[in-house]
Amino acid sequence: MAEHGATSTVAGPGDTGAVPVSAATHDHEHFSGRPASWAGVAITCVGFVVGGFAFFPHMTWWLFWTGTAIAVVGCLVLALAKTFTQDWY
């Protein structure tokens, strides 16, 4: 379910006026991840693209397994960088 800003109002201090209710505020700034995370994801995506090209126009097994190896290397980069737990918000 998507978060939506509330449209109702609440009484301000001393009941002098209504103040709009805002959506939940976050105390931290946006964190876009560590460079190791970006590198691991990029390597994995390249592996999937290379493996996908192996299916066209006919199956090329050596290209498929090359793409698989590249994707595995990308996953190892992510696992060794321990980014699964450190890049979470």
Side-chain angles (χ1 to χ4, degrees):
M1 187 177 346
E3 292 183 20
H4 299 285
T7 57
S8 63
T9 58
V10 294
D15 260 353
T16 58
V19 178
V21 175
S22 62
T25 59
H26 299 283
D27 294 336
H28 53 55
E29 294 183 23
H30 178 71
F31 179 65
S32 60
R34 296 172 47 208
S37 300
W38 285 100
V41 170
I43 293 169
T44 304
C45 288
V46 167
F48 274 96
V49 169
V50 168
F53 279 125
F55 290 98
F56 300 103
H58 56 81
M59 187 64 184
T60 308
W61 285 105
W62 68 267
L63 190 59
F64 172 79
W65 288 113
T66 301
T68 302
I70 293 170
V72 167
V73 168
C75 290
L76 288 174
V77 168
L78 287 171
L80 294 176
K82 298 181 183 178
T83 58
F84 291 115
T85 57
Q86 294 177 355
D87 284 350
W88 195 252
Y89 295 93

